[in-house]
Amino acid sequence: ENKRVVTIAGPSSSNKTTFAKRLDIQLRVCGYASIIIEMDDYFQDGDKIPFGPDGLQDLEHISAMNVKLLGEGVHKLLAGESIPVRKYNFKRSRGEDDPKKRIVLEPGNFLVLEGIHGLNPELLKHIGTTSVTPIYVSALTPLNIDSNHRYPTSDLRLIRRIIRDNQFRGCTARKTLRRWTSVRIGEERNIFPYQANAELFFNSS
């Protein structure tokens, strides 16, 4: 009753969205319902996203996300109020509220937030740690190329990201590859240090 928010965090392309959808299905099997919010839809507008030392916008930094707006929305939902459905237009680099669509969290239902910052103290502070069950998801593949060479988890995630960015974000493979170094640096700084904040862990390989 007191922990109706589930945050799902993990590095890029670790199956956070798929995990959230599977969790939603399982909650329904158990007699509950849930609302899923993708934290990527709460990115700042393009002109407010900071740049990294490589000259590219640092989408992995917590300041690239409008944490305050997301936190306000979560508190309104927990209080029984409705909020507009928000989608981030990656081609225009702007967050857009749909005035015709609103969501409300019915009593006893769960709110599932998925995104790379789901374990970040800055986000948890705005939501309230006593309301959250944080989950860490990562694709920890055990595959080896041969007896001397491991198939890196990061390579699997890169392939997944290339496909996702091309299909859903209008981004070419070349652009994804160009940004990958920045993504990996961002993971080391903004995701992996907070793994200990998770209460549950899931291997999505």
Side-chain angles (χ1 to χ4, degrees):
E1 294 181 4
N2 298 324
K3 302 185 77 171
R4 297 173 61 199
V5 181
V6 178
T7 60
I8 299 170
S12 176
S13 300
S14 57
N15 274 146
K16 296 181 292 296
T17 303
T18 302
F19 179 86
K21 291 176 179 177
R22 291 289 298 273
L23 178 61
D24 172 69
I25 292 170
Q26 189 60 44
L27 284 170
R28 291 178 189 277
V29 170
C30 295
Y32 299 95
S34 66
I35 294 172
I36 300 173
I37 292 180
E38 296 183 25
M39 285 190 259
D40 285 0
D41 289 326
Y42 282 81
F43 271 135
Q44 301 275 15
D45 288 346
D47 57 347
K48 297 180 181 178
I49 296 176
F51 284 84
D54 57 1
L56 298 173
Q57 286 186 310
D58 189 357
L59 298 174
E60 272 60 48
H61 196 274
I62 186 70
S63 61
M65 194 171 75
N66 195 333
V67 177
K68 182 179 178 183
L69 181 63
L70 177 58
E72 289 173 353
V74 170
H75 285 293
K76 286 181 179 179
L77 288 171
L78 291 175
E81 301 176 41
S82 66
I83 63 171
V85 172
R86 185 175 181 82
K87 284 293 179 185
Y88 195 83
N89 188 323
F90 283 92
K91 293 183 179 179
R92 297 181 58 203
S93 297
R94 292 187 63 83
E96 300 170 348
D97 289 337
D98 189 333
K100 298 180 180 180
K101 294 181 180 180
R102 300 185 71 86
I103 54 176
V104 63
L105 190 65
E106 299 292 341
N109 291 350
F110 289 90
L111 176 61
V112 179
L113 306 176
E114 67 92 357
I116 63 173
H117 296 298
L119 302 177
N120 193 299
E122 182 69 20
L123 174 69
L124 298 178
K125 178 180 69 176
H126 278 79
I127 297 175
T129 54
T130 56
S131 304
V132 180
T133 299
I135 302 176
Y136 182 80
V137 176
S138 189
L140 304 175
T141 173
L143 295 176
N144 289 329
I145 297 171
D146 55 37
S147 58
N148 297 314
H149 299 87
R150 185 176 63 87
Y151 183 75
T153 293
S154 57
D155 283 4
L156 172 62
R157 292 192 292 107
L158 172 57
I159 293 169
R160 286 179 174 181
R161 181 163 175 142
I162 288 172
I163 295 169
R164 182 203 68 188
D165 286 358
N166 182 262
Q167 286 186 332
F168 303 111
R169 299 191 174 178
C171 188
T172 64
R174 187 182 297 276
K175 284 186 177 179
T176 301
L177 288 167
R178 182 168 175 242
R179 182 174 289 281
W180 187 242
T181 299
S182 173
V183 170
R184 295 285 292 118
I185 293 172
E187 292 171 350
E188 296 290 342
R189 292 176 179 170
N190 305 305
I191 302 173
F192 299 146
Y194 305 122
Q195 292 179 65
N197 291 338
E199 292 182 11
L200 299 166
F201 295 81
F202 182 80
N203 182 0
S204 63
S205 63

